[in-house]
Amino acid sequence: MKLYWSKTFSTLGPSLIQGIGVVIYVTVFGFLVSLVISLLLAIGRTSKYKILNRLLVLFVELIRGTPLLVQFFYIYYVIPMLCDAFFMLFGIKTGLQIKPVVAGIIGFGINYGCYMSEVIRSAIMAVDPGQREAGLALGYSERQVLFKFIIPPALRNSIPVFGNYLVMMIKDTSLLAMISVQELLLRTKTFASQTFLTVEAYTLLALVYLVISVPLSRVSVVLEKKLKHRGK
Amino acid sequence: MAMMQIKNLSKSFDDLQVLRDINLEIEKGQVVVIIGPSGSGKSTMLRCLNLLETPSGGEILYQGNDITKLGKLVTDYRKHVGMVFQRFNLFQLHTVLENVMMAPIQLNKMGKTAAKEKAMELLGKVGMKEKADVYPDTLSGGQQQRVAIARALAMDPEMLLFDEPTSALDPELVGDVLEVMKRLAADGMTMIVVTHEMGFARDVADRVIFMDEGYVVEDEPPEVIFTNPKNERTKEFLSRVLNE
């Protein structure tokens, strides 16, 4: 079997570098959205209103109980159709479409937001109750205590786990090939089907993922060690 | 009028009654030490006094106002009543100085420079000035507790509650903390102290309250309670702890 590495590098290589741009774009925004969603969910779960709590649990279970890929399809194909149907009730034609990249960011935001909210929630519960009492005793309100003395250490303790989720998200961007985002897998698939350089193409693809995710994992391990230094 | 009046205070956790019909009056400038076996309800009572525990019944009047009916305004009341905890509870992500100065800045709208100056002065008072810029987890328990006292003082409280302030300390560190507390007492601070330090009770307290099974059993000046306790249970408890 003859392998054409140099051709693969020179043709697929530049395309993959562009693809990395897409991956970084989706991951950065997807991760930011998921951070916001996870924080909102976790704070909502500390609420004393039982109904809100139940609804949020239900939502998180719904998302965690279905595959990410299905959610991408749902957001990309189903949501626009539902919106259309809804607005048709009022006689408005929307012709709404969601860009694949945007669907990806929304999907990551919601899916990872749900998983990460559980991380933050358990970190919140792990904060020494003495911190809350000290804040209250000084005259802070429950809300001030939550935002000043409970969430900051909880987030800080969640950072190493967030690191793992970030690496997972980068790898999960390959799922976006299924909704036609021009990320790494779709580019490789196209190249392979045109050139039949299947072995070279997919090997290169795997290497590119490794080159991105291994250093990031290392960074999160180092970060974890550094953060361990102070506080609980 | 007494600074604080506790009337028929009771507290239950589900089926367990921890405080039963407590009646006490605390005068301004008094140092009241509460002793008693573990499980006697002394910490729970102290925590009721700034509503970290919600009483099940009775009234707590502070300057004549019932604090159990304050609702959200309880935060204003708590600014006047400081608390020092058994486990110090310093804010771990903040330096010693920040621990002491943040509440006056954030809650009393104090200027940053003034708050810092005051915090440094208080840290000097408890002998922790040199450690102003370090984080709490680098300090010994005794040092952390002294910072915690400075933090409580920074709000200019009219009364301080101490919940077993030396119980979590290594024996050789207890002295420094007690020394700071003695000086506070000498300065006229109103203090309610739950402790097992009988020496402190004897030397510093104006009144010693013995609690058992949720009742205030005896409430006497230290010279009476330590030499001539009236109640059998007090006698038994004191002979146990003093002969250790």
mmCIF file of all heavy atoms in Angstrom, chain A residues 107-137:
data_model
loop_
_atom_site.group_PDB
_atom_site.id
_atom_site.type_symbol
_atom_site.label_atom_id
_atom_site.label_comp_id
_atom_site.label_asym_id
_atom_site.label_seq_id
_atom_site.Cartn_x
_atom_site.Cartn_y
_atom_site.Cartn_z
ATOM 1 N N GLY A 107 -26.451 24.690 20.679
ATOM 2 C CA GLY A 107 -26.500 23.301 21.172
ATOM 3 C C GLY A 107 -25.453 23.049 22.243
ATOM 4 O O GLY A 107 -25.755 22.493 23.304
ATOM 5 N N PHE A 108 -24.225 23.469 21.967
ATOM 6 C CA PHE A 108 -23.159 23.312 22.976
ATOM 7 C C PHE A 108 -23.507 24.078 24.247
ATOM 8 O O PHE A 108 -23.331 23.582 25.352
ATOM 9 C CB PHE A 108 -21.824 23.830 22.434
ATOM 10 C CG PHE A 108 -21.088 22.821 21.615
ATOM 11 C CD1 PHE A 108 -20.546 23.156 20.377
ATOM 12 C CD2 PHE A 108 -20.911 21.515 22.081
ATOM 13 C CE1 PHE A 108 -19.860 22.227 19.622
ATOM 14 C CE2 PHE A 108 -20.218 20.587 21.332
ATOM 15 C CZ PHE A 108 -19.698 20.937 20.094
ATOM 16 N N GLY A 109 -23.995 25.307 24.057
ATOM 17 C CA GLY A 109 -24.318 26.143 25.219
ATOM 18 C C GLY A 109 -25.308 25.447 26.137
ATOM 19 O O GLY A 109 -25.099 25.370 27.346
ATOM 20 N N ILE A 110 -26.366 24.902 25.538
ATOM 21 C CA ILE A 110 -27.402 24.272 26.359
ATOM 22 C C ILE A 110 -26.919 22.945 26.941
ATOM 23 O O ILE A 110 -27.015 22.698 28.142
ATOM 24 C CB ILE A 110 -28.685 24.060 25.520
ATOM 25 C CG1 ILE A 110 -29.290 25.416 25.171
ATOM 26 C CG2 ILE A 110 -29.688 23.213 26.298
ATOM 27 C CD1 ILE A 110 -30.464 25.335 24.214
ATOM 28 N N ASN A 111 -26.356 22.092 26.069
ATOM 29 C CA ASN A 111 -25.955 20.766 26.528
ATOM 30 C C ASN A 111 -24.865 20.829 27.585
ATOM 31 O O ASN A 111 -25.009 20.289 28.688
ATOM 32 C CB ASN A 111 -25.483 19.953 25.315
ATOM 33 C CG ASN A 111 -25.136 18.536 25.696
ATOM 34 O OD1 ASN A 111 -24.056 18.280 26.227
ATOM 35 N ND2 ASN A 111 -26.047 17.607 25.449
ATOM 36 N N TYR A 112 -23.793 21.525 27.278
ATOM 37 C CA TYR A 112 -22.698 21.631 28.254
ATOM 38 C C TYR A 112 -23.121 22.464 29.454
ATOM 39 O O TYR A 112 -22.674 22.236 30.566
ATOM 40 C CB TYR A 112 -21.444 22.212 27.587
ATOM 41 C CG TYR A 112 -20.625 21.154 26.886
ATOM 42 C CD1 TYR A 112 -21.090 20.539 25.738
ATOM 43 C CD2 TYR A 112 -19.398 20.744 27.402
ATOM 44 C CE1 TYR A 112 -20.358 19.555 25.109
ATOM 45 C CE2 TYR A 112 -18.648 19.756 26.779
ATOM 46 C CZ TYR A 112 -19.131 19.168 25.628
ATOM 47 O OH TYR A 112 -18.407 18.191 25.020
ATOM 48 N N GLY A 113 -23.992 23.444 29.209
ATOM 49 C CA GLY A 113 -24.500 24.253 30.314
ATOM 50 C C GLY A 113 -25.171 23.377 31.364
ATOM 51 O O GLY A 113 -24.984 23.567 32.563
ATOM 52 N N CYS A 114 -25.942 22.393 30.906
ATOM 53 C CA CYS A 114 -26.626 21.504 31.846
ATOM 54 C C CYS A 114 -25.632 20.649 32.631
ATOM 55 O O CYS A 114 -25.740 20.518 33.848
ATOM 56 C CB CYS A 114 -27.615 20.612 31.112
ATOM 57 S SG CYS A 114 -29.099 21.505 30.641
ATOM 58 N N TYR A 115 -24.677 20.060 31.918
ATOM 59 C CA TYR A 115 -23.690 19.237 32.632
ATOM 60 C C TYR A 115 -22.875 20.086 33.604
ATOM 61 O O TYR A 115 -22.630 19.705 34.738
ATOM 62 C CB TYR A 115 -22.742 18.552 31.639
ATOM 63 C CG TYR A 115 -23.356 17.327 31.011
ATOM 64 C CD1 TYR A 115 -23.962 17.390 29.762
ATOM 65 C CD2 TYR A 115 -23.345 16.101 31.676
ATOM 66 C CE1 TYR A 115 -24.541 16.277 29.181
ATOM 67 C CE2 TYR A 115 -23.915 14.979 31.107
ATOM 68 C CZ TYR A 115 -24.509 15.071 29.860
ATOM 69 O OH TYR A 115 -25.084 13.958 29.314
ATOM 70 N N MET A 116 -22.445 21.259 33.142
ATOM 71 C CA MET A 116 -21.584 22.088 33.992
ATOM 72 C C MET A 116 -22.353 22.697 35.159
ATOM 73 O O MET A 116 -21.783 22.975 36.208
ATOM 74 C CB MET A 116 -20.892 23.174 33.149
ATOM 75 C CG MET A 116 -19.679 22.608 32.398
ATOM 76 S SD MET A 116 -19.241 23.513 30.899
ATOM 77 C CE MET A 116 -18.955 25.132 31.540
ATOM 78 N N SER A 117 -23.667 22.851 34.992
ATOM 79 C CA SER A 117 -24.449 23.394 36.112
ATOM 80 C C SER A 117 -24.402 22.416 37.290
ATOM 81 O O SER A 117 -24.400 22.823 38.445
ATOM 82 C CB SER A 117 -25.893 23.652 35.690
ATOM 83 O OG SER A 117 -26.628 22.451 35.641
ATOM 84 N N GLU A 118 -24.366 21.127 36.978
ATOM 85 C CA GLU A 118 -24.282 20.135 38.061
ATOM 86 C C GLU A 118 -22.932 20.230 38.770
ATOM 87 O O GLU A 118 -22.840 20.041 39.976
ATOM 88 C CB GLU A 118 -24.476 18.719 37.499
ATOM 89 C CG GLU A 118 -25.879 18.457 37.010
ATOM 90 C CD GLU A 118 -26.903 18.491 38.156
ATOM 91 O OE1 GLU A 118 -26.744 17.711 39.109
ATOM 92 O OE2 GLU A 118 -27.827 19.310 38.098
ATOM 93 N N VAL A 119 -21.892 20.532 37.990
ATOM 94 C CA VAL A 119 -20.561 20.713 38.588
ATOM 95 C C VAL A 119 -20.579 21.906 39.547
ATOM 96 O O VAL A 119 -20.137 21.817 40.691
ATOM 97 C CB VAL A 119 -19.496 20.948 37.497
ATOM 98 C CG1 VAL A 119 -18.135 21.238 38.128
ATOM 99 C CG2 VAL A 119 -19.420 19.751 36.563
ATOM 100 N N ILE A 120 -21.124 23.029 39.057
ATOM 101 C CA ILE A 120 -21.163 24.240 39.897
ATOM 102 C C ILE A 120 -22.039 24.004 41.115
ATOM 103 O O ILE A 120 -21.701 24.393 42.224
ATOM 104 C CB ILE A 120 -21.703 25.443 39.094
ATOM 105 C CG1 ILE A 120 -20.779 25.729 37.917
ATOM 106 C CG2 ILE A 120 -21.810 26.682 39.983
ATOM 107 C CD1 ILE A 120 -21.237 26.887 37.059
ATOM 108 N N ARG A 121 -23.166 23.316 40.890
ATOM 109 C CA ARG A 121 -24.095 23.094 41.995
ATOM 110 C C ARG A 121 -23.422 22.282 43.108
ATOM 111 O O ARG A 121 -23.531 22.611 44.283
ATOM 112 C CB ARG A 121 -25.330 22.360 41.498
ATOM 113 C CG ARG A 121 -26.579 22.643 42.296
ATOM 114 C CD ARG A 121 -27.767 22.015 41.619
ATOM 115 N NE ARG A 121 -27.675 20.573 41.670
ATOM 116 C CZ ARG A 121 -28.107 19.838 42.687
ATOM 117 N NH1 ARG A 121 -28.663 20.429 43.712
ATOM 118 N NH2 ARG A 121 -27.982 18.532 42.675
ATOM 119 N N SER A 122 -22.715 21.230 42.725
ATOM 120 C CA SER A 122 -22.086 20.442 43.784
ATOM 121 C C SER A 122 -20.942 21.228 44.418
ATOM 122 O O SER A 122 -20.680 21.100 45.612
ATOM 123 C CB SER A 122 -21.625 19.077 43.277
ATOM 124 O OG SER A 122 -20.755 19.229 42.206
ATOM 125 N N ALA A 123 -20.279 22.092 43.625
ATOM 126 C CA ALA A 123 -19.225 22.932 44.213
ATOM 127 C C ALA A 123 -19.826 23.943 45.191
ATOM 128 O O ALA A 123 -19.246 24.228 46.231
ATOM 129 C CB ALA A 123 -18.453 23.660 43.111
ATOM 130 N N ILE A 124 -21.002 24.459 44.854
ATOM 131 C CA ILE A 124 -21.679 25.392 45.759
ATOM 132 C C ILE A 124 -22.009 24.690 47.065
ATOM 133 O O ILE A 124 -21.801 25.221 48.152
ATOM 134 C CB ILE A 124 -22.969 25.946 45.107
ATOM 135 C CG1 ILE A 124 -22.617 27.014 44.073
ATOM 136 C CG2 ILE A 124 -23.909 26.538 46.170
ATOM 137 C CD1 ILE A 124 -23.806 27.572 43.322
ATOM 138 N N MET A 125 -22.500 23.452 46.939
ATOM 139 C CA MET A 125 -22.877 22.736 48.163
ATOM 140 C C MET A 125 -21.661 22.330 48.979
ATOM 141 O O MET A 125 -21.765 22.095 50.179
ATOM 142 C CB MET A 125 -23.720 21.514 47.808
ATOM 143 C CG MET A 125 -25.061 21.932 47.230
ATOM 144 S SD MET A 125 -26.302 20.643 47.315
ATOM 145 C CE MET A 125 -25.603 19.434 46.233
ATOM 146 N N ALA A 126 -20.495 22.264 48.295
ATOM 147 C CA ALA A 126 -19.284 21.853 49.007
ATOM 148 C C ALA A 126 -18.608 23.015 49.730
ATOM 149 O O ALA A 126 -17.707 22.810 50.522
ATOM 150 C CB ALA A 126 -18.306 21.202 48.033
ATOM 151 N N VAL A 127 -19.043 24.252 49.442
ATOM 152 C CA VAL A 127 -18.439 25.393 50.146
ATOM 153 C C VAL A 127 -18.826 25.312 51.621
ATOM 154 O O VAL A 127 -19.994 25.099 51.957
ATOM 155 C CB VAL A 127 -18.921 26.733 49.540
ATOM 156 C CG1 VAL A 127 -18.440 27.908 50.382
ATOM 157 C CG2 VAL A 127 -18.419 26.875 48.117
ATOM 158 N N ASP A 128 -17.847 25.455 52.479
ATOM 159 C CA ASP A 128 -18.052 25.391 53.924
ATOM 160 C C ASP A 128 -19.211 26.302 54.353
ATOM 161 O O ASP A 128 -19.176 27.499 54.088
ATOM 162 C CB ASP A 128 -16.737 25.836 54.594
ATOM 163 C CG ASP A 128 -16.874 25.953 56.101
ATOM 164 O OD1 ASP A 128 -17.878 25.474 56.650
ATOM 165 O OD2 ASP A 128 -15.947 26.515 56.714
ATOM 166 N N PRO A 129 -20.231 25.741 55.003
ATOM 167 C CA PRO A 129 -21.362 26.575 55.430
ATOM 168 C C PRO A 129 -20.943 27.707 56.362
ATOM 169 O O PRO A 129 -21.654 28.707 56.498
ATOM 170 C CB PRO A 129 -22.299 25.604 56.154
ATOM 171 C CG PRO A 129 -21.588 24.312 56.261
ATOM 172 C CD PRO A 129 -20.414 24.333 55.338
ATOM 173 N N GLY A 130 -19.762 27.564 56.966
ATOM 174 C CA GLY A 130 -19.245 28.629 57.827
ATOM 175 C C GLY A 130 -19.032 29.927 57.067
ATOM 176 O O GLY A 130 -19.138 31.007 57.643
ATOM 177 N N GLN A 131 -18.730 29.836 55.770
ATOM 178 C CA GLN A 131 -18.525 31.049 54.969
ATOM 179 C C GLN A 131 -19.822 31.836 54.885
ATOM 180 O O GLN A 131 -19.834 33.055 54.998
ATOM 181 C CB GLN A 131 -18.054 30.672 53.555
ATOM 182 C CG GLN A 131 -16.739 29.918 53.517
ATOM 183 C CD GLN A 131 -15.542 30.837 53.640
ATOM 184 O OE1 GLN A 131 -15.357 31.755 52.877
ATOM 185 N NE2 GLN A 131 -14.722 30.592 54.649
ATOM 186 N N ARG A 132 -20.917 31.120 54.683
ATOM 187 C CA ARG A 132 -22.229 31.759 54.623
ATOM 188 C C ARG A 132 -22.549 32.411 55.961
ATOM 189 O O ARG A 132 -22.963 33.570 56.019
ATOM 190 C CB ARG A 132 -23.291 30.722 54.262
ATOM 191 C CG ARG A 132 -24.707 31.233 54.414
ATOM 192 C CD ARG A 132 -25.742 30.186 53.975
ATOM 193 N NE ARG A 132 -27.059 30.586 54.445
ATOM 194 C CZ ARG A 132 -27.592 30.213 55.595
ATOM 195 N NH1 ARG A 132 -26.915 29.417 56.413
ATOM 196 N NH2 ARG A 132 -28.788 30.639 55.952
ATOM 197 N N GLU A 133 -22.341 31.658 57.038
ATOM 198 C CA GLU A 133 -22.687 32.180 58.354
ATOM 199 C C GLU A 133 -21.855 33.409 58.705
ATOM 200 O O GLU A 133 -22.364 34.366 59.287
ATOM 201 C CB GLU A 133 -22.507 31.094 59.412
ATOM 202 C CG GLU A 133 -23.503 29.973 59.242
ATOM 203 C CD GLU A 133 -23.476 28.981 60.383
ATOM 204 O OE1 GLU A 133 -22.519 29.040 61.183
ATOM 205 O OE2 GLU A 133 -24.402 28.162 60.466
ATOM 206 N N ALA A 134 -20.576 33.378 58.334
ATOM 207 C CA ALA A 134 -19.718 34.530 58.622
ATOM 208 C C ALA A 134 -20.234 35.759 57.887
ATOM 209 O O ALA A 134 -20.298 36.854 58.446
ATOM 210 C CB ALA A 134 -18.282 34.228 58.215
ATOM 211 N N GLY A 135 -20.627 35.580 56.624
ATOM 212 C CA GLY A 135 -21.160 36.693 55.850
ATOM 213 C C GLY A 135 -22.449 37.224 56.455
ATOM 214 O O GLY A 135 -22.616 38.428 56.635
ATOM 215 N N LEU A 136 -23.348 36.309 56.787
ATOM 216 C CA LEU A 136 -24.619 36.725 57.386
ATOM 217 C C LEU A 136 -24.383 37.473 58.695
ATOM 218 O O LEU A 136 -24.999 38.496 58.954
ATOM 219 C CB LEU A 136 -25.512 35.506 57.650
ATOM 220 C CG LEU A 136 -26.110 34.805 56.440
ATOM 221 C CD1 LEU A 136 -26.960 33.628 56.892
ATOM 222 C CD2 LEU A 136 -26.944 35.756 55.600
ATOM 223 N N ALA A 137 -23.469 36.934 59.520
ATOM 224 C CA ALA A 137 -23.237 37.531 60.834
ATOM 225 C C ALA A 137 -22.706 38.961 60.712
ATOM 226 O O ALA A 137 -22.914 39.783 61.589
ATOM 227 C CB ALA A 137 -22.276 36.668 61.646
#
